Amino acid sequence: MKDTAGIYETYELLEQIGRGSYASVHKAINKQTGEICAIKKIPSMMSELNDLVTEIGIISNCKCKNIVRFLAGDCSNKEVLIVMEYCCGGSVKDAMRQLNRTMNDEQITVILRDVLCGLDYLHSHNKIHRDVKAANILLNEKGIAKLGDFGVSEPSDPTNRKSSIVGTPLWVPPEVLNHEDYSFAIDIWSLGITIIEMGDGQPPYSDLEHNAALKEIKNYEKPPASFRDSSKWPANLVDFVATCLEKDASKRKSARELLTYEIFTRVTSNESIKRLVAEVCSSTANLTETKLYSKYNSALIEGIWLHNIYQGRKKKVIKVDQMIDSFHKFEREFEEILKGIKKHDDQIIDAKTQLKLIKEESQALERDKNELEATLELLKNRKSELCNQLDKIDKHNDDIERRMMKLKSLESK
């Protein structure tokens, strides 16, 4: 990876959708296919380059629907770019902030099952995530929860147990804070804390001073944390949290074992999360005027690129039609030639073979045409959806302007 120019040639940045302590995430569109994706931009600092290469190596090799899909990656002297699938619902933490509420037990259970599937995949491939929390669980339009942000993840060598401090303090288990050996079990502990975070809005001990909170977590004598009010939650979910927060790491259940628990028997679909994502995507309640403008501008640019792609595909369909007409003309001319050489058996056999090939190619072009026309129809629908979104945003902006004028009128009085 020597240059990020190829990424910028292929993708157009639309808007910034997230920012961390050292990286930013941008919504982007593939200029050739119209696919929406997310691009993570990280300043290229040599001290952290190995960690970034490790992150790219881990996600690029993951083939699991519950892990964010890697699309491309590159780096230069200035920055590292990681292109990933776009999850329109953002993170679980984003969803709770946007809707100003926590998750209910059904939503928690669906997300929990998906995350456990992702962790089971990682652990079975000797990888530890090391930073499981609501901010690192992303939701797509189908309601599927996916593990993301592998910035501190690493391959796990069963013969070389880890002991360095990793992850986010309030989510890490006692063995990590006590500088003891750890392995896959740390992800299960962090998942238990994340369940509480999804239910209460914050991890346990978040109201304490930092060192006091860590002291509580490190204390093996204290019982494991739970929801602020456990009586409000199903008993099997409360028990599940306690199972994840087993302080003896050697007794902590694996992701695969936890997936067999009775709590998941009632999870039949991801519809509850799909509805949640739809609500998040349509909500503008907590958006500032600047963010609304950013979304408007993003939708406008996306629409322009989709229109360009649509026009390009349309031209291809026209060219295919012309080629098909040429083949049909050639086919007719060839049949006339065949009539004139009936006495020459060898030539006739050869000509029929060529005609068969031409017919097969013509049929293949017909199929290509049908596929391109289907794609055009999808792009038309997407363009229509974007126009509707732009209309809604325009109406919202008009409403804001009317309110501002009303306020100015009242002030002048």
Side-chain angles (χ1 to χ4, degrees):
M1 298 182 294
K2 298 179 181 178
D3 188 10
T4 55
I7 298 290
Y8 288 119
E9 287 174 3
T10 305
Y11 299 93
E12 176 83 12
L13 299 186
L14 299 176
E15 62 173 317
Q16 182 174 299
I17 54 176
R19 186 166 190 86
S21 56
Y22 70 99
S24 59
V25 181
H26 301 257
K27 183 180 178 182
I29 185 171
N30 186 311
K31 299 176 186 178
Q32 298 167 0
T33 66
E35 180 184 12
I36 301 298
C37 62
I39 297 181
K40 185 176 181 181
K41 298 175 65 176
I42 312 110
S44 187
M45 293 174 284
M46 293 308 295
S47 60
E48 297 177 349
L49 193 57
N50 288 338
D51 289 341
L52 296 173
V53 171
T54 297
E55 177 175 3
I56 291 174
I58 287 176
I59 63 173
S60 63
N61 292 321
C62 287
K63 308 295 180 187
C64 174
K65 74 171 187 175
N66 299 114
I67 294 174
V68 172
R69 182 166 50 94
F70 171 85
L71 299 175
D74 234 329
C75 75
S76 65
N77 294 332
K78 294 183 179 180
E79 62 184 356
V80 175
L81 300 179
I82 302 175
V83 186
M84 305 164 287
E85 69 172 300
Y86 175 64
C87 294
C88 63
S91 71
V92 172
K93 184 176 181 180
D94 291 334
M96 292 193 294
R97 185 190 297 119
Q98 178 71 20
L99 300 177
N100 197 29
R101 66 172 187 262
T102 57
M103 300 289 161
N104 60 41
D105 63 290
E106 181 184 2
Q107 293 166 339
I108 289 175
T109 306
V110 175
I111 293 169
L112 180 57
R113 180 204 57 190
D114 283 358
V115 173
L116 280 171
C117 287
L119 288 177
D120 179 50
Y121 177 89
L122 285 176
H123 296 172
S124 66
H125 288 77
N126 291 321
K127 294 180 177 71
I128 309 174
H129 188 282
R130 305 204 301 180
D131 200 17
V132 177
K133 56 184 179 182
N136 290 340
I137 300 171
L138 304 178
L139 308 173
N140 73 3
E141 74 283 356
K142 295 180 180 179
I144 298 173
K146 296 170 177 274
L147 278 170
D149 200 339
F150 290 76
V152 297
S153 304
E154 68 175 9
S156 175
D157 181 354
T159 64
N160 180 24
R161 295 174 68 84
K162 313 295 180 182
S163 60
S164 58
I165 295 287
V166 294
T168 309
L170 293 181
W171 283 261
V172 298
E175 64 265 25
V176 173
L177 296 178
N178 288 319
H179 300 276
E180 299 169 6
D181 290 342
Y182 64 81
S183 62
F184 305 121
I186 71 167
D187 285 341
I188 302 304
W189 175 281
S190 299
L191 182 59
I193 298 297
T194 303
I195 298 172
I196 298 173
E197 178 191 9
M198 289 190 287
D200 290 344
Q202 295 289 341
Y205 312 123
S206 56
D207 56 333
L208 299 181
E209 186 270 329
H210 181 72
N211 289 333
L214 297 188
K215 186 177 179 181
E216 291 291 320
I217 298 170
K218 290 163 67 174
N219 188 348
Y220 281 105
E221 301 303 319
K222 289 187 70 67
S226 188
F227 296 107
R228 281 196 291 264
D229 185 355
S230 297
S231 64
K232 293 181 178 179
W233 299 94
N236 57 3
L237 182 59
V238 175
D239 292 342
F240 193 91
V241 171
T243 301
C244 293
L245 299 183
E246 166 61 56
K247 293 205 170 185
D248 185 345
S250 66
K251 295 180 181 178
R252 217 171 288 152
K253 301 294 184 181
S254 69
R256 187 164 299 179
E257 289 173 320
L258 291 172
L259 281 168
T260 65
Y261 273 46
E262 179 269 339
I263 190 173
F264 298 114
T265 56
R266 62 189 178 91
V267 178
T268 57
S269 74
N270 288 60
E271 280 301 314
S272 61
I273 305 303
K274 189 175 179 180
R275 290 193 298 270
L276 175 76
V277 171
E279 186 179 357
V280 169
C281 293
S282 63
S283 172
T284 58
N286 295 324
L287 294 180
T288 63
E289 190 171 346
T290 302
K291 287 184 178 179
L292 276 170
Y293 176 77
S294 176
K295 284 192 171 294
Y296 177 89
N297 192 53
S298 170
L300 192 61
I301 296 172
E302 183 182 343
I304 291 169
W305 276 109
L306 287 172
H307 176 74
N308 292 340
I309 293 166
Y310 169 81
Q311 291 297 330
R313 296 285 174 89
K314 190 175 180 180
K315 288 179 182 177
K316 286 183 179 179
V317 169
I318 293 171
K319 287 182 179 179
V320 169
D321 280 339
Q322 291 171 346
M323 290 178 68
I324 289 172
D325 288 340
S326 296
F327 273 114
H328 286 327
K329 182 180 178 181
F330 181 77
E331 184 180 15
R332 290 191 296 270
E333 291 174 352
F334 205 85
E335 286 175 349
E336 289 299 320
I337 293 171
L338 285 177
K339 292 176 182 178
I341 57 171
K342 284 182 179 179
K343 295 179 181 179
H344 307 283
D345 292 343
D346 292 340
Q347 291 179 336
I348 291 173
I349 292 171
D350 183 56
K352 284 184 176 180
T353 302
Q354 291 184 46
L355 180 59
K356 182 180 178 182
L357 291 174
I358 290 170
K359 284 183 176 179
E360 290 174 351
E361 191 167 352
S362 176
Q363 290 169 356
L365 285 169
E366 288 280 6
R367 289 193 295 273
D368 290 345
K369 176 189 172 183
N370 292 337
E371 291 176 2
L372 286 167
E373 287 177 340
T375 304
L376 283 173
E377 189 60 30
L378 289 174
L379 287 170
K380 281 183 183 177
N381 293 337
R382 180 59 180 152
K383 181 179 178 183
S384 176
E385 290 173 4
L386 285 169
C387 288
N388 291 336
Q389 290 180 20
L390 290 172
D391 289 339
K392 288 182 182 178
I393 293 172
D394 282 334
K395 289 179 183 177
H396 186 80
N397 286 336
D398 291 340
D399 185 51
I400 291 173
E401 288 178 3
R402 285 195 298 273
R403 291 183 184 178
M404 290 297 294
M405 291 176 66
K406 188 175 181 181
L407 283 173
K408 286 181 180 178
S409 174
L410 290 172
E411 287 176 357
S412 64
K413 291 180 181 179

